Amino acid sequence: MRRPVLLVIAHGSRDPRHAATVHDLVRRVRSLRPGLRVETGFLDFTLPSVNGVLESLDAEGVRDVVALPLLLTRAFHAKSDIPAVLAQAPPRLRIRQAGVLGPSPLLLSALERRLYEAGLTPADKSSTGVVLASAGSSDPEAIAVIAEIAREWRHTGWCAVRPAFASASLPRTEQAVRELRALGCARVAVAPYVLAPGRLPDRIALGAAEAEVLADVLGPAPEVARVLLQRYDEARVPLLTAVGA
């Protein structure tokens, strides 16, 4: 039996950088696993839509799909929007929704990769405070996950790590930068815990004005692509077992 198609579900944005980054990440996923069919659908603003991709797959005769939310936390989109969209799929499709990407040690590695690309070195860790800047959410579970990631990351050698949010929750990035400065960290770096550019990542960048270092978004980092494949593999095993593969 053929492997299930991997359908990466991105939020979508009016900002063209968002879709370009998503496509770059999908290309990296394909390069890591040749032969796996990977499609991309967007919930809003950008084509192709998730519904459109699912209808096309059904018309081709595809039957097994792993739908993977391109999300870092399990908030509203993963709990509500995406299941609602998948419920409208053609009935002949067998679809399993994979877990969101985070938390994962690989994502922490990707965050550090971006910080080092921005000019830090491993020798700077003990004197550098890091702002873990996420998009933000009104979902308490998502906020708690970000706070736990910050606590875990602190134990890897950084001077201090503080979470911050671009929307819905506090503190904002600029507040966390000042808090780390007050703690006595010699330098402050902002690490955006976001996958692609857009309005909220731009807000994070503005809030990083007083920091010495601003890392890039996670984007198509190889560690992120590996997490996508991990989530795919975790979801596809029960799907194949259910159909007797």
Side-chain angles (χ1 to χ4, degrees):
M1 174 175 286
R2 294 180 180 177
R3 287 179 289 185
V5 171
L6 170 56
L7 171 58
V8 176
I9 301 179
H11 182 272
S13 171
R14 293 186 177 90
D15 189 325
R17 297 174 299 167
H18 175 89
T21 302
V22 170
H23 291 311
D24 286 343
L25 174 58
V26 168
R27 280 191 287 270
R28 187 176 288 275
V29 171
R30 291 186 182 119
S31 73
L32 290 177
R33 190 165 298 181
L36 173 62
R37 181 172 179 181
V38 187
E39 300 291 342
T40 308
F42 296 88
L43 291 174
D44 209 351
F45 303 119
T46 311
L47 293 175
S49 69
V50 176
N51 281 333
V53 174
L54 291 172
E55 290 171 1
S56 295
L57 291 173
D58 177 62
E60 291 178 30
V62 170
R63 290 296 168 259
D64 296 310
V65 177
V66 169
L68 195 156
L70 199 59
L71 300 169
L72 294 170
T73 59
R74 190 173 177 272
F76 181 77
H77 293 304
K79 295 177 180 179
S80 181
D81 283 356
I82 291 175
V85 171
L86 297 179
Q88 301 171 17
R92 290 179 296 184
L93 289 176
R94 292 183 292 261
I95 302 174
R96 189 170 188 88
Q97 182 175 327
V100 297
L101 303 185
S104 167
L106 283 170
L107 294 177
L108 285 180
S109 297
L111 286 165
E112 295 207 355
R113 170 191 291 275
R114 293 302 189 224
L115 286 170
Y116 296 151
E117 290 170 350
L120 293 179
T121 70
D124 296 322
K125 291 184 74 169
S126 62
S127 58
T128 301
V130 179
V131 178
L132 179 68
S134 76
S137 172
S138 59
D139 188 307
E141 178 184 348
I143 298 304
V145 167
I146 299 299
E148 179 58 30
I149 291 170
R151 284 191 291 269
E152 178 183 343
W153 203 15
R154 163 68 181 86
H155 295 308
T156 66
W158 296 101
C159 172
V161 180
R162 292 290 185 271
F165 307 94
S167 68
S169 304
L170 295 173
R172 295 286 183 258
T173 301
E174 55 269 29
Q175 295 171 306
V177 169
R178 291 167 190 154
E179 180 181 349
L180 289 169
R181 191 83 67 203
L183 284 174
C185 298
R187 70 183 63 78
V188 177
V190 175
Y193 191 58
V194 293
L195 287 166
R199 178 176 58 87
L200 294 180
D202 285 348
R203 188 178 296 174
I204 290 171
L206 286 173
E210 297 179 19
E212 282 78 17
V213 175
L214 171 62
D216 200 358
V217 299
L218 294 172
E223 296 87 353
V224 178
R226 287 166 58 195
V227 175
L228 262 72
L229 290 171
Q230 283 185 355
R231 298 293 181 257
Y232 169 78
D233 289 335
E234 291 162 1
R236 72 184 284 261
V237 172
L239 178 61
L240 293 177
T241 301
V243 297

